[in-house]
Amino acid sequence: MNKKLIFAIPLVVVAAMFGVFGYALVSGVDPKSVPSALTGEPLPDFKLSELQDEKAFLSRDDITGEPMLVNIWATWCGSCKYEHPVLNALAASGVRIIGINYKDDRALALKWLDEYADPYEVDVYDPNGDLGFDLGVTGAPETFFVDSEGNVQYRFQGPITDQLWQDKLKAIYDEMV
Amino acid sequence: MKWCNRTAATLSFLVLLFGSLAFAASEVLTFDNDELRERYAELTFQFRCPKCQNQNVADSNAPISVDIRQKTYEMLHQGYSDQDIVDFMVDRYTEFVIYKPQMSVVTIWLWVVPAVVLLSGLILLIRMTRSRSSETVDELTDDDRDRLKTLLEDKS
């Protein structure tokens, strides 16, 4: 074996590392983004009351069957307020949105929907965040794209904006319909 | 009133010192036995908060960390093993939630690569030292000896 080649190995290794780190820097890999464990998996089952009626219990089968967005929201969440008009517009354009009211107060949530309009076809009341935990939710807002089979296709963290919907999310939704 | 100021300063310093020593986790928990408490401490220490950047669940105030601690506490008292609890969290929050990676087809190289690098380094080292020592035993030819002799004699 050529001896000079052996001495070139460290150089090659360092160059490769520069390549990897440089790629991460330039391509803008987001270290904060947490992958969703649910992508490609069925939506977990639950038994929780409806926001509007504490005696009406809902489960997975009550909401699945058609493609939908499952939106985690709460009145304590600032960016949910920012996202709300976008959801209203999406619902008006025929997108089916299911709400999960996450770790919230029922009265406050109902007041919010009364004041800012209600984009949700059904709203699930999850005061302890049990369903949120099974969904792997880390905060609000979060939106799951669920197909007609009830499988999660995509998870989006943070508020949806018009721009984001047009650029990226609409295509994901259209693929499910 | 100088002493009064000084006492106040000392007191506020002490408050600051011990205030910052307190753990971020604030809930008071009672455990059935010490073994459970130790396992709880160990598990929450090795869980990574999914919401914060590089903070463990034991030390984090994020609501999601409070939930993970709560769930860990409940599952420990329901008799689940450490591995069950880790699997439960990974099922929901992916491998992101644990600091210590689990052995799988994807992560096996974390153990294999250092061993391979160390071994090949050792082999390389042995080879290089061996070839160098064999070079030094190079004998002089008869011509060389004659030349050396004449050179030495010329000088004297």
Side-chain angles (χ1 to χ4, degrees):
Chain A
M1 196 182 181
N2 194 339
K3 248 192 208 154
K4 279 190 183 144
L5 269 179
I6 292 174
F7 290 115
I9 289 174
L11 194 70
V12 171
V13 170
V14 169
M17 283 166 83
F18 263 90
V20 172
F21 297 143
Y23 172 76
L25 206 65
V26 174
S27 65
V29 172
D30 183 9
K32 280 187 204 127
S33 77
V34 184
S36 172
L38 274 183
T39 307
E41 300 287 323
L43 200 74
D45 200 9
F46 59 90
K47 192 168 189 289
L48 291 164
S49 73
E50 197 177 335
L51 179 66
Q52 283 80 0
D53 180 4
E54 55 184 305
K55 284 179 199 107
F57 278 89
L58 296 166
S59 71
R60 180 183 186 275
D61 294 338
D62 294 321
I63 60 168
T64 51
E66 282 172 69
M68 59 179 168
L69 304 186
V70 175
N71 181 249
I72 316 287
W73 70 284
T75 56
W76 47 259
C77 143
S79 21
C80 294
K81 200 167 183 175
Y82 174 74
E83 184 188 44
H84 204 75
V86 182
L87 295 181
N88 283 332
L90 286 179
S93 73
V95 176
R96 183 165 179 256
I97 309 175
I98 305 293
I100 295 176
N101 184 242
Y102 178 65
K103 293 189 175 185
D104 208 352
D105 179 83
R106 199 187 286 270
L108 287 177
L110 289 172
K111 187 161 164 271
W112 160 298
L113 291 181
D114 206 35
E115 276 172 26
Y116 304 117
D118 184 356
Y120 306 112
E121 191 178 292
V122 183
D123 222 319
V124 182
Y125 184 56
D126 185 16
N128 300 321
D130 296 322
L131 177 55
F133 200 89
D134 283 341
L135 285 165
V137 165
T138 62
E142 267 187 38
T143 307
F144 292 83
F145 291 63
V146 183
D147 64 17
S148 53
E149 243 114 84
N151 293 327
V152 175
Q153 292 299 330
Y154 186 73
R155 188 267 303 263
F156 181 77
Q157 288 183 303
I160 295 176
T161 62
D162 283 328
Q163 191 70 40
L164 268 165
W165 181 261
Q166 289 304 331
D167 290 353
K168 187 179 167 194
L169 300 174
K170 189 176 187 299
I172 299 169
Y173 178 75
D174 285 344
E175 206 154 281
M176 301 193 309
V177 181
Chain B
M1 286 309 234
K2 219 173 191 177
W3 63 272
C4 188
N5 276 337
R6 201 173 293 163
T7 332
T10 319
L11 271 178
S12 51
F13 172 74
L14 282 176
V15 165
L16 273 175
L17 184 72
F18 289 104
S20 61
L21 276 178
F23 257 102
S26 52
E27 61 269 20
V28 178
L29 298 171
T30 46
F31 291 87
D32 288 354
N33 54 55
D34 284 350
E35 188 227 332
L36 283 182
R37 182 180 21 244
E38 271 164 36
R39 284 170 59 201
Y40 173 83
E42 211 164 282
L43 279 168
T44 54
F45 190 78
Q46 69 167 32
F47 284 142
R48 176 183 180 192
C49 165
K51 189 74 183 171
C52 359
Q53 287 288 286
N54 290 330
Q55 198 176 16
N56 65 22
V57 160
D59 191 34
S60 163
N61 260 335
I64 188 60
S65 295
V66 178
D67 286 0
I68 291 177
R69 284 200 295 268
Q70 173 72 23
K71 203 79 203 174
T72 308
Y73 178 81
E74 282 169 13
M75 288 182 78
L76 277 172
H77 281 82
Q78 283 159 10
Y80 286 97
S81 74
D82 288 1
Q83 188 60 45
D84 287 341
I85 299 171
V86 168
D87 289 344
F88 181 86
M89 298 302 170
V90 170
D91 277 349
R92 282 155 184 77
Y93 290 97
T94 71
E95 298 253 325
F96 188 97
V97 82
I98 43 174
Y99 273 115
K100 193 176 163 191
Q102 303 212 282
M103 189 115 46
S104 75
V105 190
V106 189
T107 56
I108 190 82
W109 56 270
L110 288 173
W111 287 268
V112 172
V113 167
V116 167
V117 168
L118 193 70
L119 260 175
S120 49
L122 271 176
I123 292 170
L124 205 69
L125 196 71
I126 291 168
R127 272 194 173 186
M128 283 166 78
T129 46
R130 260 196 199 159
S131 58
R132 193 173 294 167
S133 57
S134 66
E135 269 167 26
T136 49
V137 225
D138 236 17
E139 292 279 348
L140 295 174
T141 60
D142 288 344
D143 286 348
D144 287 340
R145 282 175 198 286
D146 288 341
R147 259 187 76 205
L148 189 63
K149 209 175 177 185
T150 47
L151 276 171
L152 285 169
E153 275 164 6
D154 277 356
K155 222 173 189 181
S156 60

